[in-house]
Amino acid sequence: MTDAYIFDAIRTPRGRGRDDGALYEVGAVRLSADILNAIKRRNSLDAADVEDVIWGNVTQIGEQGGCLARASTLLSDFGESLPGVSINRFCASGLEAVNMAANQLSGGAGDGYIAGGVEMMSRVPMGSDGAAIAVDPSLAMERYFVPQGISADLIASIYGFSRSDCDAIAAESHRRAARAWNEGRFDKSVVAVKDRNGIEILSRDEAIRPDTGKAALGELKPSFAAIGESMPGFDRIAIMKYPQLEKIRHVHHAGNSSSIVDGAAAVLVGSADFGKRKGLNPRARIVATSKVGSEPTIMLTGPIPATKKALSRAGMGLGDIDLFEVNEAFASVALRYIDEFGLDTDKVNVNGGSIAMGHPLGATGAMLLGTALDELERGGRGTALVTLCVAAGMGAATIIERI
């Protein structure tokens, strides 16, 4: 088996996912091509150096449909000989793209890949492509389908996380993200987005609110109470699956859930021979990857078994991991993960997370991997584990070791 190494990891800033967001006019294909061009320039790549582009994007419809990855390679400076494939593991798509690249490389299928993803949530609304688990009654009823926000509130209700707990971790996410930007912790990896005239349109994550505190968050109304409590209501469906609960406590709102944003990210993965041939030094080794299926009503607890599986494959324990990046899809997801493993919060999402900076679905996993790598290098630490919850009940994880 060939070891897979990370040679570079870059991302765009995240733009607000609405029609007045900075990236709204760019489009998914253009943003993807731009980030591909950036990783090409930074590493002096040619199409012949890269076996494939594996690209995550979740809402594969309209301008994000029709194998967006291939459209992006054609629009990029790589030329027509570089192929591309689009994948969808919902929120973990960007990380799964990297994992697929690493595993194909380890199996001998080429020695250089670009992996990552994109999502333009301002232009292609989440859920606009439909999903069988939500719209097919035979599947939805059998599996007790509820929307993710209800699942997040279900986790909080079962495991006893209060509104105050959720608001506290949200405020901390904003504080850490603002500090990271102010201290230049993202400078190495963030590539500013420019328009076709070369004028910069976004150089910094747009959704961070440095002054966010628990008091301000406490004034926000729960986002999912109406769809949960109305008749027949998703609360009743969740309680049918979890009859030990008498009531779902609705603690999540826009301020302690991940922000809707636009963005793209790319990771250059290759073998040792690839690095030698290109004169590139590896920054990290991909130690282990995992993916799991989990119970689809509660849906968002997949990072826990995915972490256990990745650690087992690596022959490692929790104490061997220096940093954790746990996607903040909702506050209760991170709280449940920290609680399950008894983690020191100073090791988890040390530069903030998706509550503060946003969650561009198909790109987030690759972004988190780059953030973890940068932080390992900045702090002189050795290992990191990146994990995301996934819609319909799944989880994915990756362990990396700094070189």
Side-chain angles (χ1 to χ4, degrees):
M1 298 290 287
T2 302
D3 280 337
Y5 296 94
I6 297 173
F7 290 90
D8 201 6
I10 62 175
R11 70 172 178 93
T12 69
R14 298 162 168 102
R16 289 192 185 95
R18 57 195 194 202
D19 60 10
D20 62 350
L23 299 182
Y24 176 73
E25 298 295 338
V26 180
V29 177
R30 168 56 63 184
L31 196 64
S32 298
D34 285 350
I35 204 75
L36 291 175
N37 288 340
I39 207 163
K40 179 183 189 296
R41 289 191 302 270
R42 280 170 53 126
N43 298 280
S44 300
L45 298 174
D46 295 315
D49 298 319
V50 182
E51 180 75 14
D52 201 0
V53 171
I54 304 178
W55 213 237
N57 76 282
V58 174
T59 311
Q60 297 187 11
I61 192 171
E63 64 189 65
Q64 287 189 174
C67 192
L68 183 150
R70 177 54 174 162
S72 301
T73 63
L74 288 172
L75 189 62
S76 78
D77 296 335
F78 276 104
E80 63 186 26
S81 64
L82 180 61
V85 60
S86 294
I87 66 164
N88 181 4
R89 197 184 292 281
F90 296 123
C91 298
S93 297
L95 187 66
E96 185 62 21
V98 177
N99 291 352
M100 285 185 176
N103 293 328
Q104 288 198 48
L105 188 151
S106 295
D111 66 356
Y113 284 81
I114 299 173
V118 69
E119 207 77 32
M120 291 298 299
M121 302 180 76
S122 64
R123 298 173 63 92
V124 185
M126 179 170 53
S128 57
D129 56 341
I133 195 167
V135 301
D136 182 340
S138 64
L139 179 60
M141 294 176 67
E142 180 180 345
R143 293 297 178 184
Y144 300 95
F145 167 78
V146 297
Q148 285 191 17
I150 301 295
S151 298
D153 285 337
L154 179 60
I155 292 171
S157 300
I158 290 175
Y159 294 101
F161 302 126
S162 67
R163 167 71 181 259
S164 180
D165 295 332
C166 293
D167 287 352
I169 202 169
E172 183 65 6
S173 182
H174 282 278
R175 188 191 72 80
R176 292 183 179 190
R179 179 192 64 190
W181 269 108
N182 292 337
E183 294 181 358
R185 296 188 184 188
F186 299 136
D187 290 354
K188 187 173 185 176
S189 297
V190 172
V191 177
V193 180
K194 300 179 180 179
D195 66 15
R196 295 189 181 187
N197 297 314
I199 299 172
E200 188 175 286
I201 59 176
L202 187 64
S203 61
R204 188 180 177 103
D205 291 324
E206 200 174 16
I208 301 171
R209 300 183 300 277
D211 56 350
T212 297
K214 287 183 65 177
L217 292 171
E219 297 177 1
L220 299 176
K221 294 182 179 180
S223 296
F224 308 105
I227 61 170
E229 296 170 356
S230 61
M231 296 301 290
F234 287 108
D235 282 6
R236 180 174 294 186
I237 295 171
I239 291 171
M240 288 172 65
K241 181 67 177 180
Y242 291 89
Q244 68 269 32
L245 281 179
E246 293 184 2
K247 181 178 177 61
I248 304 293
R249 290 185 297 108
H250 293 288
V251 299
H252 288 91
H253 50 75
N256 60 27
S257 307
S258 55
S259 303
I260 292 174
V261 293
D262 302 327
V267 180
L268 179 60
V269 182
S271 66
D273 287 343
F274 170 86
K276 291 175 182 176
R277 188 173 71 251
K278 296 300 298 179
L280 299 172
N281 294 319
R283 296 173 61 190
R285 181 174 69 93
I286 296 177
V287 177
T289 70
S290 71
K291 56 266 189 185
V292 299
S294 61
E295 197 282 297
T297 302
I298 206 166
M299 193 184 312
L300 307 173
T301 56
I304 293 170
T307 292
K308 294 176 180 178
K309 189 174 184 179
L311 289 170
S312 176
R313 284 182 169 172
M316 301 172 73
L318 284 169
D320 297 316
I321 304 298
D322 296 318
L323 292 172
F324 295 84
E325 284 289 332
V326 183
N327 189 38
E328 294 173 347
F330 298 90
S332 64
V333 174
L335 287 168
R336 174 69 191 116
Y337 188 90
I338 291 167
D339 187 58
E340 170 69 18
F341 294 118
L343 296 178
D344 181 345
T345 55
D346 288 338
K347 286 185 166 186
V348 182
N349 299 346
V350 299
N351 292 320
S354 293
I355 289 174
M357 292 178 282
H359 178 20
L361 307 176
T364 304
M367 289 183 171
L368 296 184
L369 194 65
T371 297
L373 177 54
D374 284 347
E375 186 61 21
L376 288 179
E377 293 174 340
R378 188 192 70 83
R381 303 182 191 184
T383 57
L385 188 150
V386 179
T387 186
L388 298 93
C389 58
V390 183
M394 292 186 283
T398 305
I399 297 173
I400 62 173
E401 176 186 47
R402 181 176 65 91
I403 301 298

